[in-house]
Amino acid sequence: MTTVRPNTGRPGSAAWPVAGVVVGLAAVLTALSPRYGFHRDELYFLVAGRHPAWGYVDQPPLTPLVARGATALFGDTPAGLRVAATLACAATVLVTALIARELNGGRRAQVFAALAAAVSGFVLAVGHMVSTATFDLLAWLVVAWLALGLLRTGGDGRRWLVLGAVVGLAALNKYLVVMLAVALLLAVLAVGPRGALRGPWPVAAVVIAAVIAAPNLWWQATHGWPQLTVAGGISADDGAENRALFVPLQIVYLSPFLVPVWIAGIRRLWRDPELRWARAVVVAYPLLCVVVVASGGKPYYALPLLLVLTAAGCEPLARWTRGRLRTAVVVVAGALATVTSGLVSLPLLPPSELAPVNAINAEQGEQVGWQALTSAVAAQWSAIPPAERAHAVIFAENYGEHGAIARYGPRHGLPMPYSGHMSDADWGPPPDSAIGPVVLVYQDGDEDVDRFFTGCRTRSRVDTGTDNEERGAHVDVCSGTTGPWSAMWPRLRHYY
């Protein structure tokens, strides 16, 4: 039997051209960051950041904390908030190039890897706006990079400690990183090199990760593990659709033009004898896909490992493009990938023209119309006689509506709204003395929420200017409630 010895050498670094790609991408994202407006999730993070805690019902604390810090440092605007997303996206591109180098990719391959990440639809989408996926993608790639370094060197103890710390920090943003760690572990046990798992260092890494994540885990445990309820809601409501679209969206989200590259990466990692130590990545990706499909999770959950395989395929791509004609083919494919990914993921089109884009990436439309919604609420609030406003309430059915009114309402003289959605419910209920009127905001099709209120009449419908979830949202004015807020609140709470 042939003994596979650890490979401790790496090609030279393409630091300057990769830095050029990173800076160019950051410049584009910065220029486009003020376009449209806050996404519904960003509005939620801004509210959650004003209620710091070790956890929320639907997420750990890191992203709301980043949102609060970014707006404090760079301004309470979409551009100010999105500085954090731009920096994370730039780091994602850099780490992708480092992964290519870790996998014996030369300077040309490293530049191709950076460019591939920079034109990926998913990378651009999460780099444009702040989301938990923004930092989750970066964390997964850093974990993969560190894990590859461990496998290449045979298990350096110091690398294990750093890996444990990164996994722990990533878990404070999103628990999905545990799936990556388990998939990689099972893959190494299956195809090696198992020697990297020997000794006390892997156990030490697990302990470090657990200690860092412990405050949030304690919060979840003491609150009845609400995030499991949220995950169950995602699976129940969207699981069938997620499973049906999993394979096509793996292709679309990354970019159809990158399919040959990640296929080449799979072939290279599996067949190249110098990279036998990296075979675990090839096995980990389908393992991860099986878990995501079985659980009804969102298709993008598995994409970071696909980006690792793309980085692996950039060395064959670099060798393939030695001739002028082949180089021209790659340039054209790269240009087409840039255009298609940009149109789908970045705020390039007028908001009124977003309907085709929303069919692929609905998050584009969710950045439009929030000020119009708040203005519609303000018009109905101002119609309430001043004497009645002292015991009046604004109640929003979902966290996007709640976040928009909380963000834009003060300029209209509106009080802070209430909502029973996700962690917004933890910051209520209104006092029982708030007997009405109630300005009630809800999406079209969710009229059953008005069963908790009396005398409701729809006074206006919201025109967001684009085809999104809040288009046609109702703004009702109700005379009062069917009971005290404190008694109704558990029934008004909803997780998905």
Side-chain angles (χ1 to χ4, degrees):
M1 180 181 293
T2 302
T3 301
V4 179
R5 298 184 181 279
N7 180 359
T8 57
R10 287 177 298 173
S13 171
W16 286 109
V18 168
V21 176
V22 169
V23 171
L25 176 62
V28 170
L29 291 175
T30 299
L32 293 175
S33 62
R35 289 270 293 165
Y36 299 170
F38 290 112
H39 185 273
R40 68 165 60 245
D41 289 355
E42 291 178 318
L43 292 166
Y44 179 46
F45 298 144
L46 291 175
V47 175
R50 293 199 292 268
H51 297 85
W54 277 113
Y56 303 91
V57 299
D58 54 336
Q59 63 187 302
L62 185 61
T63 300
L65 182 63
V66 170
R68 180 173 180 172
T71 51
L73 289 173
F74 304 111
D76 187 15
T77 63
L81 172 65
R82 290 168 179 169
V83 170
T86 298
L87 293 175
C89 187
T92 294
V93 171
L94 174 60
V95 175
T96 305
L98 292 175
I99 289 172
R101 184 184 180 214
E102 196 69 53
L103 294 170
N104 293 344
R107 290 181 173 86
R108 191 179 177 91
Q110 294 167 41
V111 176
F112 279 160
L115 288 170
V119 302
S120 162
F122 180 64
V123 173
L124 291 176
V126 301
H128 166 62
M129 63 186 190
V130 170
S131 69
T132 54
T134 303
F135 309 109
D136 199 46
L137 173 61
L138 175 58
W140 276 48
L141 290 176
V142 172
V143 168
W145 175 54
L146 291 170
L148 286 169
L150 278 167
L151 298 177
R152 178 179 59 83
T153 59
D156 185 323
R158 292 167 298 179
R159 290 175 183 263
W160 273 115
L161 300 181
V162 176
L163 179 60
V166 172
V167 171
L169 287 172
L172 289 178
N173 176 67
K174 210 171 178 73
Y175 294 153
L176 292 176
V177 72
V178 177
M179 291 199 310
L180 171 64
V182 172
L184 287 173
L185 174 62
L186 293 176
V188 171
L189 289 173
V191 298
R194 300 178 190 86
L197 302 176
R198 296 194 183 105
W201 298 109
V203 176
V206 172
V207 171
I208 289 173
V211 168
I212 293 174
N216 174 250
L217 295 174
W218 178 256
W219 188 95
Q220 282 286 325
T222 56
H223 288 76
W225 298 100
Q227 196 156 351
L228 294 179
T229 303
V230 174
I234 294 174
S235 180
D237 285 15
D238 297 336
E241 181 180 357
N242 289 340
R243 294 182 184 98
L245 294 177
F246 182 84
V247 173
L249 289 182
Q250 292 292 288
I251 295 171
V252 171
Y253 280 168
L254 197 61
S255 174
F257 296 97
L258 293 177
V259 171
V261 184
W262 56 258
I263 290 177
I266 292 173
R267 289 168 57 88
R268 177 177 176 236
L269 292 184
W270 195 254
R271 293 184 175 184
D272 190 338
E274 293 186 0
L275 291 174
R276 288 188 63 185
W277 54 270
R279 279 186 171 184
V281 178
V282 179
V283 176
Y285 175 65
L287 283 176
L288 187 63
C289 291
V290 168
V291 172
V292 173
V293 171
S295 62
K298 297 180 180 179
Y300 71 78
Y301 289 173
L303 276 179
L305 271 189
L306 198 56
L307 196 54
V308 173
L309 295 172
T310 302
C314 286
E315 178 60 27
L317 178 65
R319 293 196 299 266
W320 188 80
T321 56
R322 293 301 179 185
R324 289 185 178 179
L325 180 59
R326 290 180 174 182
T327 299
V329 170
V330 171
V331 169
V332 171
L336 291 173
T338 301
V339 171
T340 54
S341 294
L343 288 174
V344 170
S345 304
L346 296 177
L348 297 175
L349 296 174
S352 59
E353 304 299 322
L354 281 177
V357 171
N358 286 340
I360 303 171
N361 177 20
E363 309 310 325
Q364 289 277 61
E366 296 310 306
Q367 303 170 64
V368 177
W370 297 112
Q371 295 193 55
L373 182 145
T374 306
S375 296
V377 172
Q380 301 311 317
W381 179 265
S382 64
I384 297 174
E388 297 180 20
R389 293 179 197 166
H391 44 80
V393 170
I394 299 173
F395 183 84
E397 184 249 352
N398 66 59
Y399 66 61
E401 299 159 350
H402 176 269
I405 299 166
R407 172 64 179 76
Y408 298 114
R411 70 180 61 169
H412 296 281
L414 298 181
M416 283 295 106
Y418 293 88
S419 177
H421 193 203
M422 297 296 190
S423 275
D424 285 342
D426 293 330
W427 309 316
D432 286 341
S433 58
I435 57 174
V438 177
V439 178
L440 176 63
V441 189
Y442 57 92
Q443 291 179 358
D444 191 31
D446 291 338
E447 287 82 358
D448 62 334
V449 70
D450 64 9
R451 72 183 187 277
F452 295 99
F453 306 96
T454 59
C456 295
R457 294 182 62 186
T458 297
R459 298 296 178 85
S460 68
R461 302 286 292 273
V462 177
D463 181 7
T464 60
T466 193
D467 182 19
N468 60 12
E469 290 188 22
E470 299 300 331
R471 188 172 195 173
H474 296 241
V475 181
D476 291 6
V477 176
C478 308
S479 59
T481 63
T482 58
W485 285 103
S486 57
M488 295 194 308
W489 204 245
R491 291 180 291 152
L492 283 167
R493 177 164 213 158
H494 57 112
Y495 291 97
Y496 194 61

